[in-house]
Structures are given as C-alpha cells and as structure tokens.
Amino acid sequence: MDLKEAYIHALCKELEIRQSYLQGTSVETIYFGGGTPSILNAGDFDKIFNTLSHIYGMATCKEITLEANPEDLSVDFLQTLSGFPFNRISIGIQTFDDGMLKRLKRRHNAAQAFVAVDNCCRAGFNNISIDLMYGLPEESLEMWMNDLSQALSMHPDHLSAYCLTYEKGTPLYEMLQKHQVKKTDEDTDLHFSILLTDTLTKAGYEQYEISNFCRPGKHSQHNSAYWEGIPYMGCGASAHSYNGTSREWNISSLTSYLSGIQTNQRNFETEERDTNTCYNELIITSIRTRQGLSLKRLEAVFGEKYLTYCLHMAQRYMEDGKLKKEGDYLRLTQKGIFVSDGIMIDLLCVKK
C-alpha cells in the first residue's frame, strides 16, 4: 500500500470511527481542501464518497467544494470530477504576476490560471471561486490593480482576497529575515484593501465577510458555517473540528496520524473553552461578517455583563464612524473594515 492509498484508507476509517461526533446532525456542506486534493483519482473519490454516503448520508448536502491549484485543473481531471457530486471549485491563483508567482514558489503561471477557469466552465461548473493575495513582497498599487482587473475578466462567482502574512518557519519568512524580500508597509496594505473593496463592489460583488466577495447567492456556505458557529468535523492530518462545546484538531504529522488511525488511537488535541474564550470567538467570527454581531444573542448566551462590556468598548468606534448599531446588530462600516483587526482586538475580553 503506497502513502496515498494508506491516507485514503485512514481518512475513510476516521469518518467511520467519528460517526457520533456531529450527534446525528445532517451534513450540509463538504469541503475537500488542506493541501492538494487534486492529486486524488476517481478510485480515491469513489471510496471517500461511498463512505460519506453510507455513514452520514448526502441527501441534505447543498455544497461540495474541491480546492485545487490551477495547474491541476486539466480537462481530464475535471472530467473525473464531473462523475462525482462536486458543485463548487476553489482555485488558488494568488496573483497574475508571473515573476511574483516564481518568488512564491508556485508551480503555475497566469496563463495556466486562465486555462483552469475556462476548463472548469467548459466542464459545467457554475460556482467557481478564486483566491488572491495582496501585500506581496514589494508589490505596487499598479500590480494589485492589474491582479483585480485580470480576476474580474474571469467573471468568477466568488473571490477571496487575503493580505499576505509572513509565518515563522516558511521560506518567505526566512527570506524576509535575510532581507531578501521587502514587506509592504501598513499604509500600502490599507490602500490595497480599499482598492479591493471599491473595485469589487463597483463590479457588482457583495462583501459578505472581510476577505470574501461574491455574486448574489454565491456565498460560501461552508465557510459561512464557521462564522455562524455551526458545528463541523474535519478529518485528515491537521484537520480541526468543533462540536459546539469544544474544539479539537488532529496531529499534523502524517506518519503519526496514520499510525494513530490504524491502531484506533487517533492522535489529537482538545481545547476546552472558558466563558471569555467563547465570548471572544463570537466577537471575532461575527464582527467580520456583513450581518455583524447580534447583541440579543450576545446577551442571551453571556449575560448583561458581557453585553455592557462590548458596547462600552465599541463606543469610541461608533462615535468615529467605524462601527454602527442597527437594530439588534453591531456592524463594521466601510471605514471600519479597513481597521477591523484593531477593533476586534479592543472588543475582546482579556484576562488580567
């Protein structure tokens, strides 16, 4: 048994042994992500979907997404996908600048990104999402404007755009430490963010979350579930799960993950959440969405003390037009979206 075959076997076994995790809740969305699920073949997908159908049932499933890189979305691979119930494709394009793609160690170029989207459309997929990044090393406003223009020419149904973060242990972080790349400053990133929102809004996209835009009715149902606090189960190495009470995540080591599943001793960690942690999670997941934070829900779950604290901390942001209170909801304004991280940090309840 090769490594991929062993992983698929372990994944299906984990789905079986964790049948009770969602407590009988109907499965509404499925997301194949976290790496390169596009290396799977028809036989692999067949095993996974058979397991899902047999253990959980798929009659209530509304959205099934596959995450893929542009270079993997060939005509043949999409032909394979069309034999399964996928109805959404998420493509990690990142940028259309070929020089930047090389610096980021990506295997595709801009031309391949266009071919990938065209292949998806020809294969009958009518819900296509693309991912972009901004704040790339030495990126200029002109480069970002070009990326947005190129992206809009694809007419995607959904677009996610994230500001690049330099994470410890990554090659890009090491390059930054060695002064081989130069990070964009906060003012530049703010201008990128403003341009992003203005450009996509004018093009008819709804900004339903800080980093996510869609055509009407094309929001990501799977990601929205995270922000709404709906329980979910993640299977595979490093996968995270939430049952409404606690969070847990599988070990990141592939060999440890495989051996744990094989011996019926799954390697995972659990986080029990105290009241402050639960309150903070509600703030972070709610404020970042267009709907905003339900103050009634906040009071019902956490009591008047937390509601009073939240409104007190929000007051100065409401006075300077970065937050607004509309009926039951506390929402970011357009002005507030650009400084949302700072606002959310101030609303959090920190132990002293």
Side-chain angles (χ1 to χ4, degrees):
M1 186 183 293
D2 64 17
L3 186 59
K4 187 181 75 163
E5 188 179 354
Y7 188 80
I8 298 299
H9 179 76
L11 184 64
C12 291
K13 186 172 181 180
E14 184 183 358
L15 285 166
E16 291 174 6
I17 63 179
R18 298 183 66 195
Q19 182 176 1
S20 63
Y21 185 79
L22 295 176
Q23 301 174 343
T25 304
S26 299
V27 175
E28 296 189 357
T29 67
I30 300 172
Y31 195 100
F32 285 71
T36 51
S38 46
I39 68 169
L40 304 184
N41 59 36
D44 300 327
F45 287 125
D46 202 45
K47 290 173 187 173
I48 296 169
F49 278 112
N50 281 340
T51 303
L52 286 167
S53 182
H54 176 67
I55 304 294
Y56 300 93
M58 295 179 60
T60 58
C61 202
K62 303 171 186 173
E63 180 186 275
I64 305 177
T65 303
L66 179 96
E67 189 178 86
N69 294 320
E71 67 271 20
D72 296 325
L73 291 170
S74 65
V75 172
D76 288 344
F77 181 66
L78 286 161
Q79 179 88 34
T80 296
L81 293 187
S82 65
F84 296 94
F86 291 105
N87 55 16
R88 188 172 183 271
I89 305 289
S90 179
I91 310 173
I93 292 175
Q94 316 312 346
T95 178
F96 293 92
D97 185 287
D98 286 342
M100 188 66 74
L101 285 167
K102 285 182 180 178
R103 295 183 76 181
L104 296 173
K105 311 297 184 189
R106 304 291 296 190
R107 291 185 294 123
H108 72 276
N109 57 36
Q112 286 174 297
F114 278 94
V115 170
V117 171
D118 185 59
N119 286 346
C120 289
C121 292
R122 290 176 183 273
F125 289 98
N126 59 7
N127 194 353
I128 298 169
S129 177
I130 64 173
D131 286 1
L132 296 179
M133 285 196 299
Y134 60 91
L136 300 170
E138 295 110 41
E139 184 176 19
S140 67
L141 202 59
E142 289 72 26
M143 288 169 65
W144 182 226
M145 288 174 66
N146 180 65
D147 275 354
L148 291 174
S149 176
Q150 298 272 51
L152 288 175
S153 74
M154 292 177 159
H155 308 291
D157 303 287
H158 186 281
L159 192 150
S160 300
Y162 304 97
C163 188
L164 175 66
T165 55
Y166 292 79
E167 295 185 11
K168 247 182 181 178
T170 62
L172 206 52
Y173 180 83
E174 296 303 318
M175 292 171 70
L176 182 67
Q177 296 303 107
K178 294 175 182 176
H179 306 288
Q180 294 172 348
V181 295
K182 185 179 179 182
K183 189 178 181 181
T184 53
D185 58 43
E186 287 186 8
D187 285 342
T188 301
D189 289 343
L190 177 59
H191 282 112
F192 288 155
S193 179
I194 292 171
L195 182 63
L196 167 70
T197 301
D198 287 350
T199 302
L200 294 186
T201 300
K202 287 175 184 175
Y205 288 81
E206 299 174 358
Q207 185 175 18
Y208 70 100
E209 192 268 347
I210 291 172
S211 303
N212 287 274
F213 301 78
C214 69
R215 294 193 181 280
K218 295 289 190 176
H219 68 282
S220 168
Q221 297 179 54
H222 188 81
N223 289 347
S224 294
Y226 296 144
W227 305 319
E228 293 168 11
I230 295 172
Y232 59 88
M233 181 174 72
C235 293
S238 294
H240 283 238
S241 302
Y242 169 63
N243 63 5
T245 304
S246 64
R247 296 188 184 279
E248 63 182 64
W249 52 95
N250 288 337
I251 194 165
S252 60
S253 165
L254 182 56
T255 53
S256 296
Y257 168 75
L258 292 175
S259 63
I261 296 295
Q262 287 164 2
T263 57
N264 292 316
Q265 294 181 321
R266 184 168 66 95
N267 290 306
F268 68 99
E269 294 182 52
T270 302
E271 176 194 41
E272 297 297 336
R273 300 142 71 236
D274 60 17
T275 304
N276 278 1
T277 301
C278 293
Y279 163 82
N280 290 344
E281 286 183 359
L282 178 64
I283 294 296
I284 291 170
T285 55
S286 298
I287 287 291
R288 64 186 302 111
T289 66
R290 183 179 60 177
Q291 183 177 2
L293 170 67
S294 168
L295 299 174
K296 283 184 181 177
R297 180 184 175 193
L298 174 59
E299 184 175 21
V301 175
F302 299 101
E304 186 178 350
K305 176 184 173 183
Y306 279 89
L307 174 65
T308 303
Y309 172 82
C310 177
L311 289 175
H312 171 70
M313 299 304 291
Q315 186 60 39
R316 71 184 180 98
Y317 293 110
M318 289 191 280
E319 288 174 357
D320 67 10
K322 292 173 183 171
L323 281 173
K324 59 183 176 182
K325 186 172 176 287
E326 292 182 334
D328 170 42
Y329 287 88
L330 186 66
R331 298 186 176 104
L332 290 167
T333 63
Q334 204 63 42
K335 183 180 177 183
I337 286 174
F338 306 127
V339 289
S340 57
D341 285 349
I343 294 174
M344 285 189 282
I345 287 170
D346 281 350
L347 296 183
L348 299 183
C349 190
V350 182
K351 288 182 180 178
K352 296 183 179 178

